[in-house]
Amino acid sequence: MSSLHLTAFSRRDKQLADLTAAAHAILALDRAFKRLLPGQLGQFCQVACVRDGELVVYAHNSTVAARLKLLGNSLLAPLQRQGHPLRSLRVKVLPTPPKLRKPKSFALSEAGVSAFDDAARQIRNPVVREAMLALLAHHKSR
């Protein structure tokens, strides 16, 4: 669905039209904000909203948040000149959800365990031999 279809559809309902207009305004502000940022900093943040003249920006991590806070006033002045009624900048760090660990699906067959056991006993380096035997003990316990 393209934005043209959404715009045409949203004209049918005033609340939806208002919401669509607000979303377009935030997206435009986000683009304007990111154009002001140095380097690739814009890839790691996004404009969230404007509340009572306060521009709220989400940063992907605390390093980006610190950099945005340092740039604060130098970012607001150009946006104000572009017609955005902003008085202050608030930067929040987005919490990142923990990565889900995939269950291990690797298992050695009995023949594989036996072959690795024979090979481990022939290894001369004691550190490597102990590591291999520990790995085998783990697979034998399954």
Side-chain angles (χ1 to χ4, degrees):
M1 177 182 279
S2 74
S3 63
L4 291 176
H5 297 310
L6 179 61
T7 303
F9 180 75
S10 69
R11 288 184 188 137
R12 297 178 188 173
D13 182 324
K14 173 140 175 46
Q15 287 180 325
L16 187 56
D18 292 344
L19 181 62
T20 304
H24 284 294
I26 290 294
L27 289 173
L29 180 57
D30 184 64
R31 284 190 298 273
F33 179 77
K34 288 179 178 179
R35 278 194 298 268
L36 299 171
L37 298 175
Q40 297 179 344
L41 192 60
Q43 295 177 4
F44 305 104
C45 62
Q46 64 192 50
V47 170
C49 64
V50 176
R51 284 192 199 126
D52 299 324
E54 179 179 62
L55 176 62
V56 180
V57 176
Y58 289 146
H60 292 197
N61 58 54
S62 59
T63 305
V64 173
R67 182 78 193 268
L68 290 173
K69 288 175 184 177
L70 285 173
L71 293 170
N73 289 335
S74 67
L75 297 173
L76 287 178
L79 292 172
Q80 290 167 340
R81 285 192 297 271
Q82 293 174 21
H84 298 285
L86 303 172
R87 287 182 278 128
S88 62
L89 173 69
R90 174 179 288 187
V91 181
K92 295 182 177 184
V93 177
L94 278 177
T96 54
K99 293 182 180 179
L100 298 176
R101 291 185 150 198
K102 292 182 181 178
K104 293 182 181 180
S105 61
F106 179 77
L108 290 175
S109 65
E110 288 298 319
V113 170
S114 177
F116 271 105
D117 192 39
D118 292 342
R121 296 189 189 288
Q122 295 176 15
I123 295 174
R124 291 187 181 138
N125 185 321
V127 175
V128 175
R129 181 177 46 246
E130 290 304 315
M132 184 73 103
L133 290 172
L135 175 71
L136 286 167
H138 175 73
H139 279 281
K140 286 178 182 178
S141 66
R142 288 184 176 187

